[in-house]
Amino acid sequence: MTAPRALRATKQRAAVSDLLDRLADFRSAQEIHEELRRQGEGIGLTTVYRTLQTLADGGEVDVLRSAGGEAVYRRCESSAHHHHVVCRRCGAAEEIDAPMVESWAQEVAEKHGFSEISHTVEIFGVCRACT
Amino acid sequence: MTAPRALRATKQRAAVSDLLDRLADFRSAQEIHEELRRQGEGIGLTTVYRTLQTLADGGEVDVLRSAGGEAVYRRCESSAHHHHVVCRRCGAAEEIDAPMVESWAQEVAEKHGFSEISHTVEIFGVCRACT
DNA sequence: TGCGCCCATGATAGTGGTTTTCATCTAGGG
DNA sequence: CCCTAGATGAAAACCACTATCATGGGCGCA
Ligand SMILES: [Mn+2]
Ligand SMILES: [Mn+2]
Ligand SMILES: [Zn+2]
Ligand SMILES: [Zn+2]
C-alpha cells in the first residue's frame, strides 16, 4: 500500500493550474512563467517546470514538442487519449480522435514484431486566425 | 541561374555517409561521432552535425526526434515520404507507407481550417531482438 | 604538376531549454 | 501553535546543438 502522497496546495501550483484553465493554446513553460509574472504572481521558473511536469505525469495536461523542439503544455477537454491539430504560429489546438489511426498504429507495429507500442501523431499547420 | 554548388568530396563526409550505409538503425550525431572515432576516423563532432544536416536537407537521410528528444538519423531505403516503427531501445526501424493516414491528416486539418499542413507520425516500441 | 581560391574542418565558446542543488520557507497534521 | 516533510527558487550544472574563426585541403585552371 503506497501512502496517498499528500501533494500540498500552494499558491504557485494554483496559479499554474488556473492559468492553464484560462489558456486554450499550447504554451511553453517559459511563456507560462512570463505570463504569471506579468500578472504579478510570485513564482520561480523552476516551480513552473516542476508543476507542469507533475501535472503531465498525472495526465492532467498534455505535452508535445513544438516544431522548435521545446515542450509545450495544454489542459485538454478530453482526458482520454487523443491527438491534435496545432497552429505552428500561436499554439492554438483542436483535439482530434481517430480510432482508425489508433488501430492502424497497433496493427502495423505488431505486424513487425514490436511490443510495448506507443505513438506520436500530431498535425501542424497555420490556423484560420493566423492566416 | 544558381551555380551547381560543388560540395566537395572530403574523407569526413565519405566516412559519415559510409557509416550511414552500414547502419540500419536511427542514431544520434553523437553516437555516429563516437563510432567513427572508435574506427580511427579523424573527424570532429561539429563536422558530423554539419554533414548530417546537409544530408537531411538534401533528403538523403531521415531525421526524427527520439523519445528523449534528441535528433536521430538514418539512411532509408525509400526516398519518398514515409514513416517508421522505431525501437526505443536500439533504434532499429521499419519503414511504413500509409496513404490512408496521409489523406486522413490532410482532411482533418482542412476541416479545422488549417493551412500549410505538415505532420509527424512515428510508432515506437521494442523490437523482437530487444525483447 | 603547381598555384591559389574558397569551401571545409574542428577546437572553442556560446546558446537555450531544462534539470539539479541546496538553503530556506511553509502547508497542514497533531 | 509546533514540527517536519514536502515545496520553493536562485544559482549553477547539464546537454544537445550552433556559431566563430583560424587553419587546412579539394579542385579548377595554367
Ligand atoms: Mn493515438
Ligand atoms: Mn505522412
Ligand atoms: Zn494560430
Ligand atoms: Zn531494438
Side-chain angles (χ1 to χ4, degrees):
Chain A
M1 298 303 115
T2 320
R5 283 176 169 281
L7 198 50
R8 293 180 186 168
T10 65
K11 73 174 178 22
Q12 289 90 339
R13 286 215 252 258
V16 171
S17 192
D18 288 355
L19 180 56
L20 286 170
D21 281 338
R22 240 171 299 131
L23 293 174
D25 312 340
F26 274 95
R27 294 294 173 77
S28 70
Q30 316 225 32
E31 287 173 330
I32 289 170
H33 179 238
E34 275 175 35
E35 180 59 26
L36 289 174
R37 297 303 281 251
R38 197 172 303 128
Q39 292 176 17
E41 287 294 335
I43 186 169
L45 180 56
T46 307
T47 299
V48 172
Y49 272 110
R50 258 189 309 235
T51 302
L52 289 171
Q53 188 60 58
T54 301
L55 289 172
D57 289 347
E60 289 195 58
V61 301
D62 278 21
V63 196
L64 59 87
R65 296 253 174 219
S66 72
E70 64 201 325
V72 286
Y73 307 80
R74 177 185 196 260
R75 171 116 62 197
C76 286
E77 301 289 323
S78 166
S79 56
H81 174 90
H82 62 273
H83 298 277
H84 308 91
V85 180
V86 186
C87 177
R88 170 176 317 115
R89 298 262 173 77
C90 72
E94 297 289 339
E95 295 172 36
I96 55 185
D97 190 27
M100 159 216 255
V101 173
E102 302 301 324
S103 52
W104 164 80
Q106 194 68 27
E107 280 164 28
V108 166
E110 281 171 3
K111 182 188 308 174
H112 289 284
F114 282 67
S115 53
E116 295 174 47
I117 304 161
S118 67
H119 59 256
T120 66
V121 173
E122 302 298 343
I123 305 177
F124 293 97
V126 178
C127 77
R128 200 120 50 187
C130 286
T131 305
Chain B
M1 298 304 116
T2 320
R5 284 176 167 280
L7 197 51
R8 293 178 186 171
T10 64
K11 74 173 176 28
Q12 288 89 341
R13 284 213 252 260
V16 171
S17 193
D18 287 356
L19 180 56
L20 285 170
D21 281 338
R22 236 170 303 130
L23 293 175
D25 312 340
F26 274 95
R27 294 293 173 79
S28 71
Q30 315 228 32
E31 287 173 331
I32 288 170
H33 179 238
E34 274 175 36
E35 180 58 26
L36 290 174
R37 297 302 282 253
R38 196 173 301 129
Q39 294 176 15
E41 288 293 336
I43 187 170
L45 180 57
T46 308
T47 299
V48 172
Y49 271 110
R50 256 189 310 238
T51 302
L52 289 171
Q53 188 59 58
T54 301
L55 291 172
D57 289 347
E60 289 194 57
V61 301
D62 277 22
V63 197
L64 61 86
R65 297 262 178 212
S66 72
E70 65 202 325
V72 287
Y73 307 80
R74 178 185 195 259
R75 171 114 63 198
C76 285
E77 302 289 324
S78 167
S79 57
H81 174 89
H82 62 272
H83 298 275
H84 307 91
V85 181
V86 186
C87 177
R88 196 181 284 130
R89 298 261 175 76
C90 71
E94 297 289 339
E95 296 171 35
I96 55 184
D97 190 27
M100 160 215 256
V101 173
E102 302 300 323
S103 52
W104 164 80
Q106 193 69 27
E107 280 165 27
V108 166
E110 282 171 3
K111 180 188 306 174
H112 288 284
F114 282 66
S115 53
E116 297 173 47
I117 304 161
S118 67
H119 60 257
T120 65
V121 172
E122 303 297 344
I123 305 177
F124 293 96
V126 178
C127 78
R128 199 123 46 189
C130 286
T131 305

